[in-house]
Amino acid sequence: RPHGGAAVAAGLVLPPRRVVSDIILPAGESLVNFAFLKESRENFIDMANKGIINVDMLGIPLSLALFSGLNSPLMEKYKFNVVEFGKGAKAALQRYHDIQNALQDEICIWAKETIDLKLSPLKIMELAEKKQTELKLEASEKDTSESLLAQMKQMVTPEYFEQMCSSMIRDTLLLKEINLNYNNWTSQVSNINLLSARAEAIPPKPATLEEIPHLTKEEAQKNDDLINNIYMEHPCVAQIEVVYDVQTTFDACNIHKDNNDNNNNSTNVTNPVIHKQTDIMEDDDTNLSNASKKPIKASGKVIAVFEGWLFGSPTGSLQWKLGITRPFSF
């Protein structure tokens, strides 16, 4: 699991799951409920039969922890609908990978037209930083209906968006022999399973001494209630982890202006989207340009972390945001 800094870097409100408080204790709570509540046992069996909890994939401890999270008081209070979330998550991830592939393809074209490997590493770094700034500017200026960047920015946390802009450029420049020309809108997302579910109330922070003189009468009263621990309904955020399979189709071709013929019989391609390496095997009579005529498919299993406000959203709407994607591993 990523450490707490990973969640902060991705702009997530809740930290990554902790083994004791977010897995062992919830799993133990579920076992206790099973022992005394027939309804709880039947609910778990029903979720397993419907595929909401994939016991075969998760194992018993994680399945029990997931069951506890889905049935937490906050999830029930704000009527979290796990079935509707699953449908929306699949559509969102499909769109996410499609847009990411299209953006990666645009950056590959930029690299072929702009980057010359004869340039110094410092000059290449300057061009990369300039391109990253342009991407952020484009995402801010264009309407979401006109810009893939702007659409992506709406789907993910601001911090994760900045990471993506940087990583897409970095991954392209690292592929010195091969360029991945993605066949846009051909990503296939399948086998989505819930991995974890949590909901927590987020109490607002009291006003600082510098802020207190500028508060309105109503704001000052709320601040006093918060300091004196007088009950008020706090904003509530949910974090859902899913694991899924994704397949991406792309072509291989030369990338930079000064590429020379490569005499190797095997070329490794690292897919930056799904973090999986694929080998393109070539016969003596087959060169890389011929290999590009055949689409290459790379597949992998990925974990995605969504966050959304069940109550008290700063924007006034739920709007799930994608904050982390990473290769699947327990």
Side-chain angles (χ1 to χ4, degrees), residues 17-307:
R17 286 187 299 158
R18 298 161 292 267
V19 174
V20 175
S21 61
D22 296 317
I23 299 178
I24 296 178
L25 292 181
E29 180 183 339
S30 293
L31 284 176
V32 172
N33 289 335
F34 288 175
F36 296 99
L37 299 174
K38 179 181 178 182
E39 182 182 355
S40 182
R41 295 195 300 271
E42 293 176 344
N43 191 13
F44 179 85
I45 294 172
D46 183 59
M47 284 188 167
N49 289 337
K50 290 179 178 178
I52 295 173
I53 298 177
N54 189 335
V55 180
D56 291 337
M57 185 196 73
L58 296 178
I60 298 300
L62 288 177
S63 296
L64 294 175
L66 173 58
F67 177 74
S68 177
L70 291 174
N71 290 277
S72 71
L74 288 174
M75 290 289 199
E76 293 181 353
K77 178 178 180 179
Y78 296 112
K79 298 180 174 23
F80 172 72
N81 188 318
V82 64
V83 176
E84 290 301 316
F85 174 85
K87 294 177 182 178
K90 182 175 183 179
L93 290 169
Q94 181 72 57
R95 183 67 176 167
Y96 164 79
H97 283 287
D98 281 341
I99 293 178
Q100 189 181 46
N101 289 350
L103 291 174
Q104 187 75 58
D105 206 35
E106 290 180 4
I107 293 173
C108 287
I109 294 172
W110 162 81
K112 284 189 289 186
E113 295 175 348
T114 308
I115 303 298
D116 189 327
L117 292 182
K118 294 178 181 179
L119 296 173
S120 67
L122 182 60
K123 183 61 178 177
I124 293 178
M125 182 73 71
E126 290 177 358
L127 291 171
E129 289 178 353
K130 180 181 178 182
K131 181 61 175 177
Q132 185 174 342
T133 302
E134 291 174 354
L135 292 178
K136 295 176 185 177
L137 187 62
E138 178 185 339
S140 300
E141 290 183 343
K142 289 192 175 181
D143 182 79
T144 56
S145 62
E146 299 177 358
S147 168
L148 291 176
L149 273 169
Q151 292 180 47
M152 179 63 80
K153 189 176 180 179
Q154 291 291 318
M155 297 176 65
V156 302
T157 63
E159 292 81 359
Y160 190 46
F161 178 77
E162 291 209 11
Q163 290 180 21
M164 287 182 55
C165 290
S166 175
S167 64
M168 285 191 294
I169 295 172
R170 181 196 64 226
D171 290 333
T172 300
L173 296 181
L174 286 176
L175 302 175
K176 295 180 180 179
E177 301 292 343
I178 297 291
N179 176 28
L180 305 182
N181 278 349
Y182 293 90
N183 296 343
N184 295 342
W185 321 115
T186 60
S187 295
Q188 296 180 7
V189 171
S190 59
N191 299 326
I192 297 180
N193 288 284
L194 291 175
L195 191 56
S196 72
R198 290 185 293 154
E200 291 186 19
I202 310 296
K205 294 180 179 180
T208 64
L209 293 176
E210 292 78 12
E211 294 171 337
I212 288 177
H214 305 286
L215 298 177
T216 65
K217 185 175 181 180
E218 182 180 355
E219 290 171 340
Q221 182 61 54
K222 288 183 178 180
N223 190 59
D224 290 341
D225 292 344
L226 180 63
I227 294 173
N228 295 317
N229 202 29
I230 297 176
Y231 176 79
M232 62 176 65
E233 191 170 15
H234 298 314
C236 178
V237 66
Q239 184 182 101
I240 312 294
E241 278 185 302
V242 299
V243 57
Y244 60 98
D245 295 319
V246 59
Q247 179 176 277
T248 302
T249 305
F250 56 89
D251 302 322
C253 66
N254 292 330
I255 177 171
H256 296 301
K257 297 177 182 178
D258 64 341
N259 271 346
N260 297 318
D261 291 336
N262 192 334
N263 294 323
N264 293 334
N265 290 330
S266 176
T267 305
N268 287 330
V269 177
T270 301
N271 187 332
V273 177
I274 58 178
H275 318 284
K276 185 175 179 65
Q277 194 174 67
T278 303
D279 289 333
I280 305 173
M281 301 303 297
E282 299 178 88
D283 297 328
D284 293 337
D285 298 331
T286 305
N287 57 35
L288 193 55
S289 60
N290 289 333
S292 68
K293 295 178 181 178
K294 296 183 179 180
I296 302 165
K297 293 183 178 181
S299 60
K301 192 174 285 290
V302 182
I303 289 176
V305 181
F306 290 91
E307 268 195 352

